Amino acid sequence: MDVFKGQNILNFVKELPDDDSCKAYLAKIKWQDGFKCMKCGHTKGCAKAGYTYQCYNCQHVESSTANTLFHKVKFGLHKAFCIVFEM
């Protein structure tokens, strides 16, 4: 979240207004160097709906929040992003 360093909460909320945009932001960062399956290590896969990737080798589907700070968050992702931004 270094991109948002020095910004106020209003600009932050304009950039990431909902859960979907937060998932897109996570997906962009998580797979910026390409996809690698966490289960088998295979590097080939395809993007699926909802900012997920499916491995061609083992068929494992991985979400953009998996194995991140936001993994299994029990409330909205946008709310979690705002909490992290305030810290």
Side-chain angles (χ1 to χ4, degrees), residues 2-60:
D2 288 336
V3 175
F4 301 106
K5 197 171 192 172
Q7 289 190 16
N8 63 18
I9 190 75
L10 297 175
N11 290 336
F12 177 75
V13 172
K14 279 183 193 174
E15 291 289 321
L16 300 169
D18 55 10
D19 285 359
D20 202 43
S21 60
C22 292
K23 284 181 185 178
Y25 178 75
L26 278 177
K28 184 178 98 176
I29 290 176
K30 185 173 182 175
W31 296 307
Q32 68 186 353
D33 297 330
F35 171 73
K36 183 175 181 184
C37 181
M38 292 293 199
K39 196 172 181 182
C40 70
H42 196 68
T43 56
K44 302 268 189 201
C46 62
K48 294 287 191 178
Y51 304 103
T52 59
Y53 249 92
Q54 182 173 6
C55 177
Y56 284 147
N57 188 40
C58 68
Q59 306 304 316
H60 174 70

Side-chain angles (χ1 to χ4, degrees), residues 57-81:
N57 188 40
C58 68
Q59 306 304 316
H60 174 70
V61 178
E62 187 174 324
S63 73
S64 58
T65 59
N67 300 314
T68 67
L69 177 67
F70 306 102
H71 186 79
K72 292 190 178 182
V73 169
K74 300 291 185 207
F75 46 88
L77 191 57
H78 185 256
K79 187 175 186 176
F81 264 68

